[in-house]
Amino acid sequence: MVTPTVVAPQLLTGVLWVLVWAAIFLLAVILGARAGRLWRERRERQVLQELRPAMLAVASGEDEDSSALGRLTTVTHQRVRVVDRTVSTMLSKVKGEPARALAQVLRSHGRANWALRGLASKRSIRRAYSAWTLGLMRERESGSKIVPLLQDRSMDVVVAAARALTLLGDSKAARPVVRAVAPRRRPRGLPSWVAVESLCAFDDAVAPVVAEATAHPQPSVRHVAATVIGTRPLPRAAPVVRQRLAVEQDPRTLAALVEALGEIGGSLDLPMLSRFAQHSDETVALAAVDALEEIGLPSSVEALAPLVADTRPRLSERAAVALAELGSRGRERLLAFANAPGPAELPATYALQLTAMRSATRGLD
């Protein structure tokens, strides 16, 4: 038989009081934290209400006597954090002299030194924010210190570093940006759109690096290089694009190269683009149609016309629309297709109706 355990009433009462006081203490901590947060928010609103006219004057370039700038650079230590956070937000939206003035506000508060120290922080959020701050402030001499973060273990830091280098516009970072797209020590590379944005922002010295990247072993890097050539664009890279089109196997990169050739190529490229318009991969064929329309020569009509009867609906419709955009000669071919039964009838009719609706809309405008 098990003997029941008897607990003294005094012990139960003591435990109950401990729990009561613990609950009261936790409630006080929660209320105190909430009250403190509300007080800080109210104080920050007051500071912003007082200093916002000066911030807007500097950001809009209307601070002719620099009085507003002087007011912001001499704020008390208690107000620096509020001012810096708001100025950083404004700095991401302005350029030119107002941007330099806002950067001077941050520099006067020691923000540049704080950001440089933060590049070596153990916390990834601090490293990322520090790199972004230096980019916003256009601290060009900090570029060499930001570049190593392109190989950081945190993807957030890598993206922040690339975007900061984009703001700095230093073409010396072009090769590290390319390497970050296909890193050796991370499973994921720098997103393509970030890399393209960075490489397009650098000066013309980036051209050899981009041309070299078209032959990189990794398709992701070749795709970025091809996209930059067509987006920027880089006319001097046309010979490289033609060479790569003859050997490229990756469909996505092949489509980007074809689009690039449409931007930087000419009449000599029509035969090659016509062949790619017949490509088995629909993405590549569509890119070739876009390129033929972009070049916009009368001979493009002869290259696009057979595609209106293609068995792939997207391709036939896109070719028909491209013909409609190439002027009267293209529209004459579409009228002939629309009046003759066959696979080209529906795409041609669709393109002619679309052109008519666009013309009517422009007339109403």
Side-chain angles (χ1 to χ4, degrees):
M1 183 176 180
V2 179
T3 304
T5 302
V6 179
V7 180
Q10 294 83 355
L11 180 60
L12 290 175
T13 302
V15 170
L16 180 61
W17 277 109
V18 169
L19 293 175
V20 170
W21 282 108
I24 294 174
F25 175 75
L26 291 175
L27 182 61
V29 170
I30 294 172
L31 293 176
R34 179 176 175 81
R37 179 172 59 83
L38 293 175
W39 178 81
R40 286 192 301 272
E41 290 176 354
R42 184 171 63 252
R43 186 174 67 88
E44 289 181 1
R45 285 196 298 269
Q46 292 174 349
V47 172
L48 286 177
Q49 184 176 3
E50 179 182 344
L51 296 177
R52 188 177 296 278
M55 295 180 188
L56 293 176
V58 174
S60 62
E62 298 178 355
D63 184 27
E64 297 179 357
D65 57 356
S66 298
S67 59
L69 178 62
R71 186 179 183 187
L72 295 176
T73 56
T74 57
V75 294
T76 60
H77 179 72
Q78 292 80 5
R79 297 184 170 192
V80 164
R81 181 181 175 185
V82 180
V83 172
D84 286 357
R85 186 167 62 248
T86 307
V87 167
S88 296
T89 302
M90 291 181 170
L91 195 53
S92 64
K93 303 175 183 178
V94 299
K95 297 180 180 180
E97 188 58 36
R100 286 188 285 272
L102 291 174
Q104 183 179 341
V105 173
L106 297 179
R107 202 172 291 114
S108 69
H109 297 162
R111 203 64 177 174
N113 294 330
W114 173 89
L116 287 171
R117 293 193 302 270
L119 295 178
S121 173
K122 294 182 179 180
R123 296 191 304 152
S124 60
I125 189 172
R126 172 75 189 277
R127 296 195 301 275
Y129 189 66
S130 297
W132 179 238
T133 299
L134 291 170
L136 284 177
M137 295 176 65
R138 308 304 195 273
E139 296 287 334
R140 290 185 63 87
E141 65 277 4
S142 67
S144 59
K145 298 180 176 63
I146 297 175
V147 163
L149 295 183
L150 291 171
Q151 297 296 327
D152 196 273
R153 61 184 180 273
S154 169
M155 182 53 62
D156 292 336
V157 176
V158 174
V159 172
R163 299 195 68 191
L165 292 169
T166 301
L167 294 174
L168 296 180
D170 187 359
S171 60
K172 294 178 181 178
R175 203 173 298 276
V177 168
V178 170
R179 285 198 296 265
V181 177
R184 297 179 179 178
R185 299 182 180 180
R186 295 196 317 271
R188 291 176 55 207
L190 180 68
S192 297
W193 68 270
V194 182
V196 171
E197 180 185 63
S198 296
L199 294 171
C200 286
F202 298 149
D203 56 36
D204 291 339
V206 76
V209 177
V210 174
E212 179 185 334
T214 59
H216 195 277
Q218 292 292 332
S220 58
V221 178
R222 300 199 302 271
H223 174 259
V224 166
T227 304
V228 172
I229 291 172
T231 303
R232 204 180 152 101
L234 297 174
R236 294 183 180 180
V240 175
V241 172
R242 296 185 184 106
Q243 293 172 7
R244 289 304 307 172
L245 281 172
V247 296
E248 183 59 56
Q249 298 296 321
D250 179 60
R252 191 170 71 127
T253 304
L254 192 58
L257 287 169
V258 170
E259 289 181 1
L261 191 60
E263 294 290 340
I264 63 178
S267 58
L268 296 177
D269 300 305
L270 288 177
M272 179 181 291
L273 292 174
S274 299
R275 290 196 300 271
F276 280 109
Q278 305 285 346
H279 200 276
S280 58
D281 187 283
E282 189 176 22
T283 303
V284 177
L286 288 169
V289 171
D290 290 340
L292 288 168
E293 180 186 354
E294 185 66 28
I295 291 178
L297 296 173
S299 49
S300 295
V301 174
E302 303 304 323
L304 289 169
L307 298 174
V308 181
D310 197 279
T311 56
R312 293 169 287 187
R314 288 179 61 200
L315 182 60
S316 60
E317 289 180 0
R318 181 66 190 89
V321 172
L323 276 175
E325 295 296 327
L326 289 176
S328 59
R329 188 175 176 182
R331 288 191 288 273
E332 287 175 2
R333 296 298 295 270
L334 289 176
L335 284 171
F337 287 138
N339 294 327
E345 180 182 1
L346 287 178
T349 303
Y350 162 77
L352 290 171
Q353 290 176 346
L354 181 63
T355 302
M357 287 189 293
R358 287 176 176 174
S359 300
T361 303
R362 285 194 290 266
L364 289 174
D365 292 340

